[in-house]
Amino acid sequence: MVASKRLVVSFFLLVLLLAEANAKGLKVGFYSKTCPHAEGIVRKVVFAAMKKAPTLGAPLLRMFFHDCFVRGCDGSILLDSSNNQAEKNAVPNLSLRGFGIIDDSKAALEKVCPGIVSCSDILALIARDAMVALEGPTWEVETGRRDGRVSNINEVNLPSPFDNIAKLITDFRTKGLNEKDLVILSGGHTIGMGHCPLMTNRLYNFTGRGDSDPSLDSEYAANLRKKCKPTDTTTALEMDPGSFKTFDVSYFKLVAKRRGLFQSDAALLDNTKTRAYVFQQARGSTFFHDFGVSMVKMGRIGVLTGRAGEIRKMCRVPN
């Protein structure tokens, strides 16, 4: 037992050391000399798009998360496949939107600085700028990533809305993220929509006996049943009811009241550390700052730097 625990600890340390070694190639202002207006060019494209369609904020944020959790933050989520076998074709990614914003940003950058700015960096910048456009948090984005050449549908194994707290903590630790990062990044659910199939089991058949999830507030559950029937596969639900277009701490207030939409939201109350962070953020203390810190940490996962990877000419296809 002691030996197995030591192996687990050693594995997590190895993950952290590898992530740190690769991330040393990242820095704020990586393009300050080679493409000094890069961030401003991306920001202009994002702000214009968000002005027309502010609901793109949530899927753009999720796109960066989904990219980093599969093969690292290498832009592999952006690659197309002629036979629909790329990451973006996996079920959890079918609801992602906003790929055109990455294309437009890349096209604008190629006119000014051809072959300089990677698609993976563009995605990292867009995730930040989309939150700023929603009057949410801002942070300094480290850049210097290079783009991967592989995107495989079979490698998509993302944290799920159905996960319990043990699974969530393990998934985040394998990426070098801790319990606080788990809670803070879950706070991204303060914006955007979910769909009935991702949570109807909590309403109608939680343990296979036609019951509901006892961790779900009964009044909230009754309201959800009015919107989601057992066979509903299309209805969209606000993940942060009444505030789903605003980046704020109301998500944590709802989770603290047992009104998190997904099982993974409710699970944050099932661990001493994560529960404490939920209640801390519900008081409105440091969410914006902490979110930026966790986004920077996530942006270091499995990055390609130096001579690894490539700088794609177009974000949807490798060179």
Side-chain angles (χ1 to χ4, degrees), residues 154-193:
N154 295 317
E155 294 182 351
V156 177
N157 183 21
L158 296 161
S160 162
F162 305 104
D163 284 345
N164 61 33
I165 192 62
K167 176 72 161 52
L168 290 167
I169 289 174
T170 298
D171 285 351
F172 273 66
R173 280 183 178 172
T174 59
K175 303 300 181 184
L177 302 173
N178 60 27
E179 288 90 343
K180 183 175 183 180
D181 298 314
L182 165 59
V183 174
I184 297 301
L185 293 173
S186 295
H189 289 173
T190 184
I191 53 173
M193 310 288 286

Side-chain angles (χ1 to χ4, degrees), residues 215-289:
S215 71
L216 187 62
D217 175 78
S218 58
E219 184 179 340
Y220 182 46
N223 288 333
L224 288 172
R225 286 191 196 95
K226 294 176 184 177
K227 299 175 181 177
C228 285
K229 301 307 176 185
T231 57
D232 189 332
T233 60
T234 57
T235 299
L237 302 164
E238 298 174 9
M239 290 194 288
D240 187 356
S243 181
F244 76 104
K245 294 181 180 179
T246 308
F247 202 104
D248 55 25
V249 299
S250 61
Y251 163 81
F252 295 108
K253 294 179 180 179
L254 290 171
V255 172
K257 294 177 181 176
R258 299 190 297 119
R259 294 189 170 202
L261 183 63
F262 300 134
Q263 194 172 335
S264 59
D265 296 321
L268 299 178
L269 298 179
D270 294 337
N271 171 274
T272 305
K273 285 185 179 179
T274 55
R275 180 184 177 89
Y277 286 133
V278 167
F279 281 91
Q280 178 186 337
Q281 298 304 330
R283 293 192 291 270
S285 52
T286 58
F287 180 37
F288 276 32
H289 170 268

Side-chain angles (χ1 to χ4, degrees), residues 5-16:
K5 284 185 177 179
R6 284 176 179 168
L7 282 172
V8 171
V9 171
S10 297
F11 172 72
F12 286 133
L13 284 174
L14 178 60
V15 169
L16 290 171

Side-chain angles (χ1 to χ4, degrees), residues 29-45:
F30 181 84
Y31 300 109
S32 59
K33 293 182 179 178
T34 55
C35 191
H37 301 297
E39 293 197 24
I41 290 169
V42 173
R43 188 179 304 113
K44 184 177 180 181
V45 173

Side-chain angles (χ1 to χ4, degrees), residues 45-57 60 101 129-130 133-134:
V45 173
V46 174
F47 279 24
M50 291 288 291
K51 189 173 183 180
K52 293 178 183 176
T55 56
L56 282 172
L60 287 170
I101 298 177
D129 293 339
L134 291 174

